[in-house]
């Protein structure tokens, strides 16, 4: 089985979010970048397939050279090789078009992508990629088993889970559950040494165009101070929630 | 030209998000000087949508569409969008809404924007505000394609009555083949789910152990709320993973979020920023959650919560 894992390079979850150039650009100053948490679940699942069922695992990122340390980290976790599509994308459709070209050229059977990236949270790349390649598609995936070309997968639905059957080739939009958090892999020294020698191919974009663009960013208005209520006076809290906030 | 809204239903009944997206679509149609068309799939009676501004409802009834299937539903929305000459297509940002939106976008070669929190600030260029950076910021995004797909974030625009004399027409949609088949659906029944809840009562490690969740459940019951928890609580197995709220868990966009014994770590707050009113109960006056909260009680949950339950019961009864 040939597996492709899409890796997004995103600010660490604790990053302070700031903007520059009159609020038109994300300020990367002092920001630590990591593998997108949702992609990490997918990468670990791919390693499991590789070790238990036999598979090759390629990782791919659409982005500039600054994403390479993140790709090396994913190689250190155990992916076989990496591809970077050399363009700074501006929206999900553009990323999906570039990924679709990689998928078509590479003959992959299974494409694993996080259901969303922790920066722009668009939740559209996996679905668009599946449509552009005409692969089957399961989003919000919390479990996947492959037997030959037959696939059984589980996805989250409102208030529960749905079990689905399908077949390869398949794109999944994955999240926690594809593997559990305790099973996530961290690179060890040997992995880090080996990752240095693994192939990281840089390819030029096919020129997929974006359909949206960010005009400006905004931060939420600063919040007013919390209204404290005495612990002995929960009646006041009820009254505030009823009369002032009008939520009960 | 028209605005097409997919009004999702479950067992024939409209979800609250359906009424919200219709309200939203009506407003966008007004901005564009056109009409709004609502699409329903297997909803028994669509007249409720007239109350929120849908002059026209296109109703698709087909047993083959009984269970949600993203590819099939997206194909129906696409077919109706073409038939109605719709350039703006509005869906909700629920799990299913986010599943179909990108497929519709590729079908129509449309720009797609999810988690949108307001009606367009401009229709030329077409600019919408959406949540980004795990709810820590917004981006004003221009959609430059002729067709546009918009996923409206829950509880962001609200439900607005706008009574019109609507009419419904049946539409015989094509059901495309999908190699993804639903085998089994398991829902926790009889409980309010986090996604649908107007009120969420959530508790953290401050509760010390699973045996103390009785009061959390009782408070939730009094309020008709869903229960939730912080990540360590689900990691420790005190509560199911489906209740874990935050950046790596579920997002909450309720009207009221009550956090009991939760410190308010940045990853937890990322999941609840979209909630309107936040109440915190915590023994530590320095807990970061107090900075994010609207109302707070510095106090011991084991004393405050039982009192709150008792007083709320009296309040509800009065
Ligand atoms: C990559 C990453 C992702 C993460 N994602 C999430 C996520 O999605 N969701 C999430 O929740 N966390 C997440 N976390 C963990 C997060 O950083 C915090 O560790 C977690 O939110 C803390 O949970 P807590 O507030 O329940 O526990 P604690 O930090 O232990 O806080 C307990 C609180 O209870 C209070 N307390 C104690 N006793 C009482 C009492 N008797 N009455 C009232 N209050 C009391 C204490 O004062 C304290 O504030 C993530 C972390 C990382 C690194």
């Amino acid at each position: 089985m040939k597996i492709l894992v899409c890796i997004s390079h995103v600010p660490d979850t604790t990053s302070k979010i700031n903007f520059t150039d009159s609020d038109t650009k994300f300020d990367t100053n002092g920001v630590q970048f990591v593998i997108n948490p949702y992609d990490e679940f997918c990468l670990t699942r791919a390693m499991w397939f590789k070790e238990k069922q036999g598979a090759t695992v390629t990782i791919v990122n659409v982005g500039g050279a600054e994403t390479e340390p993140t790709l090396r980290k994913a190689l250190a976790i155990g992916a076989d090789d990496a591809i970077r599509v050399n363009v700074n994308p501006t929206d999900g459709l553009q990323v999906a078009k570039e990924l679709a070209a990689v998928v078509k050229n590479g003959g992959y059977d299974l494409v694993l992508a996080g259901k969303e990236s922790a920066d722009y949270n668009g939740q559209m790349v996996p679905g668009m990629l599946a449509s552009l390649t005409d692969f089957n598609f399961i989003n919000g995936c919390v479990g996947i088993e492959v037997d030959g070309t037959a696939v059984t997968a589980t996805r989250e639905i409102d208030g529960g889970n749905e079990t689905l059957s399908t077949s390869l080739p398949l794109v999944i939009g994955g999240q926690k559950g594809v593997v559990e958090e305790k099973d996530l892999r961290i690179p060890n020294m040997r992995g880090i040494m080996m990752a240095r020698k693994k192939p990281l191919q840089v390819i030029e974009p096919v020129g997929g165009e974006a359909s949206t663009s960010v005009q400006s960013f905004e931060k939420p208005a600063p919040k007013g101070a919390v209204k404290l209520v005495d612990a002995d006076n929960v009646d006041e809290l009820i009254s505030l929630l009823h009369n002032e906030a009008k939520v009960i | 030209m028209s605005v097409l809204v997919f009004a999702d239903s479950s067992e024939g009944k409209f979800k609250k998000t359906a009424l919200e997206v219709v309200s939203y679509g009506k407003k966008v149609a007004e901005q564009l000087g056109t009409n709004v068309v609502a699409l329903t799939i297997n909803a028994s009676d669509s007249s409720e949508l007239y109350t929120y501004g849908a002059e026209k409802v296109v109703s698709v009834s087909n047993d083959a569409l009984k269970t949600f299937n993203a590819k099939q539903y997206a194909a129906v929305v696409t077919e109706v969008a073409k038939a109605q000459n719709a350039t703006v297509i509005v869906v909700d940002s629920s799990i299913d809404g986010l599943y179909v939106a990108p497929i519709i976008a590729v079908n129509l070669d449309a720009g797609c924007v999810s988690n949108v929190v307001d009606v367009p600030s401009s229709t030329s260029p077409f600019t919408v505000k959406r949540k980004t950076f795990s709810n820590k910021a917004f981006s004003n995004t221009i959609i430059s394609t002729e067709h546009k797909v918009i996923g409206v974030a829950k509880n962001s625009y609200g439900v607005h009555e706008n009574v019109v004399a609507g009419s419904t027409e049946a539409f015989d949609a094509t059901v495309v083949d999908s190699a993804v088949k639903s085998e089994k659906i398991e829902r926790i029944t009889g409980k309010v789910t986090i996604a649908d809840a107007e009120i969420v009562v959530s508790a953290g490690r401050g509760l010390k152990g699973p045996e103390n969740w009785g009061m959390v459940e009782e408070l939730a019951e009094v309020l008709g709320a869903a229960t939730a928890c912080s990540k360590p609580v689900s990691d420790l197995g005190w509560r199911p993973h489906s209740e874990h709220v935050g950046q790596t868990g579920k997002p909450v966009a309720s009207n009221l979020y009550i956090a009991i014994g939760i410190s308010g770590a940045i990853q937890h707050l990322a999941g609840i920023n979209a909630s309107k009113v936040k109440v915190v109960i915590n023994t530590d006056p320095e807990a970061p959650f107090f900075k994010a909260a609207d109302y707070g009680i510095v106090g011991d949950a084991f004393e405050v919560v039982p009192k709150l339950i008792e007083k709320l019961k009296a309040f509800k009864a009065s």
Side-chain angles (χ1 to χ4, degrees):
Chain A
M1 183 159 60
K2 278 190 81 176
I3 301 178
L4 183 70
V5 184
C6 305
I7 300 285
S8 177
H9 161 90
V10 302
D12 172 32
T13 53
T14 54
S15 304
K16 291 260 179 296
I17 303 298
N18 289 305
F19 304 104
T20 59
D21 292 13
S22 317
D23 288 336
T24 57
K25 286 202 175 64
F26 174 57
D27 183 1
T28 55
N29 233 319
V31 171
Q32 167 108 28
F33 281 84
V34 295
I35 302 175
N36 181 37
Y38 297 100
D39 302 348
E40 241 182 308
F41 292 113
C42 292
L43 179 61
T44 303
R45 188 64 195 166
M47 298 323 305
W48 188 94
F49 280 125
K50 176 179 156 140
E51 288 156 15
K52 298 277 161 58
Q53 291 184 206
T56 59
V57 178
T58 301
I59 53 169
V60 60
N61 166 265
V62 181
E66 70 280 3
T67 70
E68 288 191 5
T70 298
L71 292 179
R72 289 281 171 211
K73 216 182 295 164
L75 288 171
I77 287 171
D80 299 303
D81 60 338
I83 299 171
R84 178 171 69 80
V85 183
N86 189 26
V87 60
N88 268 312
T90 69
D91 84 340
L93 186 59
Q94 186 186 5
V95 174
K97 285 177 182 166
E98 294 301 335
L99 292 175
V102 171
V103 170
K104 282 178 188 155
N105 291 332
Y108 298 98
D109 308 295
L110 177 63
V111 181
L112 304 172
K115 69 162 184 173
E116 69 175 292
S117 66
D119 48 3
Y120 293 97
N121 314 98
Q123 297 212 17
M124 59 181 83
V125 170
M128 288 177 163
L129 174 59
S131 287
L132 292 167
T133 51
D134 212 16
F135 278 27
N136 295 322
F137 172 48
I138 293 174
N139 203 27
C141 188
V142 292
I144 175 171
E145 301 295 339
V146 179
D147 181 6
T149 60
V151 178
T152 309
T154 313
R155 77 169 180 114
E156 187 180 6
I157 55 175
D158 279 343
N161 282 326
E162 179 179 24
T163 308
L164 303 148
S165 64
T166 188
S167 58
L168 301 178
L170 170 72
V171 175
I172 77 155
Q175 61 187 50
K176 183 171 105 173
V178 163
V179 297
E180 286 312 324
E181 206 163 325
K182 61 174 171 37
D183 298 325
L184 286 176
R185 307 257 173 116
I186 5 178
N188 57 25
M189 207 23 112
R190 199 175 114 83
I192 294 167
M193 299 303 287
M194 279 169 61
R196 292 197 188 141
K197 298 199 196 79
K198 287 182 180 172
L200 192 164
Q201 192 192 351
V202 179
I203 61 173
E204 289 310 309
V206 291
E209 271 177 44
S211 51
T212 65
S213 55
V214 174
Q215 185 185 51
S216 64
F217 292 102
E218 262 175 54
K219 291 218 272 186
K223 236 195 53 45
V226 59
K227 265 194 196 166
L228 288 180
V229 174
D230 197 87
D232 294 323
N233 196 1
V234 293
D235 275 328
E236 189 188 341
L237 179 67
I238 293 171
S239 154
L240 285 167
L241 293 177
H242 181 66
N243 299 314
E244 187 177 84
K246 299 193 186 341
V247 287
I248 60 169
Chain B
M1 189 176 68
S2 68
V3 172
L4 179 71
V5 174
F6 174 47
D8 199 10
S9 52
S10 165
E11 287 161 12
K13 283 207 189 68
F14 291 110
K15 299 182 178 168
K16 190 184 153 204
T17 51
L19 311 181
E20 185 170 22
V21 288
V22 171
S23 306
Y24 182 99
K26 173 69 179 169
K27 184 73 195 173
V28 177
E30 276 171 20
Q31 289 180 325
L32 291 168
T34 178
N35 66 322
V36 60
V37 180
L39 161 65
T40 67
I41 298 181
N42 292 338
S44 36
D45 175 11
S46 34
S47 59
E48 189 184 1
L49 302 182
Y50 308 155
T51 312
Y52 302 92
E55 295 105 359
K56 184 169 175 184
V57 178
V58 171
S59 151
V60 171
S61 297
N62 194 322
D63 273 353
L65 299 170
K66 242 188 178 136
T67 323
F68 172 84
N69 178 291
K71 188 174 176 184
Q72 292 176 331
Y73 272 46
V76 172
V77 177
T78 305
E79 190 181 7
V80 173
K82 285 182 179 159
Q84 297 295 325
N85 197 16
T87 47
V88 178
I89 292 90
V90 184
V91 299
D92 62 30
S93 284
S94 64
I95 291 175
D96 290 351
L98 289 165
Y99 198 167
V100 291
I103 308 176
I104 300 168
V106 169
N107 289 349
L108 290 170
D109 214 4
C112 180
V113 179
S114 59
N115 293 318
V116 170
V117 294
D118 204 352
V119 290
S121 56
S122 150
T123 54
S124 177
F126 197 94
T127 313
V128 283
K129 184 168 167 176
R130 67 180 299 267
K131 296 188 271 190
T132 43
F133 294 99
S134 303
N135 293 326
K136 288 187 253 179
F138 299 102
S139 74
N140 294 302
T141 301
I142 296 174
I143 310 180
S144 44
T145 42
E146 188 197 350
H147 286 88
K148 299 157 184 81
V149 176
I150 294 177
V152 179
K154 185 181 170 241
N155 269 345
S156 58
Y157 182 67
V159 171
H160 302 276
E161 281 197 16
N162 194 339
V163 182
V164 294
S167 62
T168 298
E169 66 186 49
F171 184 84
D172 191 13
T174 316
V175 179
V176 300
D177 283 338
S178 171
V180 177
K181 307 247 184 285
S182 178
E183 301 292 343
K184 194 168 73 184
I185 289 180
E186 287 167 295
R187 274 202 177 86
I188 314 155
T189 48
K191 276 184 92 182
V192 191
T193 64
I194 294 176
D196 293 330
E198 295 295 317
I199 302 179
V200 174
V201 176
S202 188
R205 202 147 55 178
L207 257 76
K208 315 275 191 287
E211 66 281 5
N212 296 325
W213 244 263
M215 63 180 187
V216 178
E217 287 182 327
E218 196 179 347
L219 178 58
E221 203 183 307
V222 178
L223 289 166
T227 51
C229 67
S230 67
K231 180 164 130 40
V233 164
S234 67
D235 287 349
L236 289 162
W238 298 355
R239 298 298 290 178
H241 277 291
S242 56
E243 290 195 0
H244 155 200
V245 159
Q247 159 141 18
T248 48
K250 287 218 168 57
V252 174
S254 57
N255 283 329
L256 173 60
Y257 186 78
I258 304 181
I260 307 163
I262 300 178
S263 59
I266 193 161
Q267 298 91 353
H268 187 85
L269 297 181
I272 59 124
N273 279 342
S275 285
K276 293 229 168 77
V277 176
K278 295 154 204 131
V279 174
V280 171
I281 300 169
N282 197 307
T283 40
D284 175 10
E286 302 299 321
F289 220 136
F290 283 111
K291 291 208 175 63
D294 301 281
Y295 303 102
I297 292 183
V298 178
D300 188 337
F302 297 97
E303 287 162 23
V304 177
V305 176
K307 256 192 271 173
L308 190 57
I309 292 169
E310 184 196 319
K311 299 281 186 182
L312 273 169
K313 277 185 181 161
F315 167 79
K316 294 268 172 190
S318 68

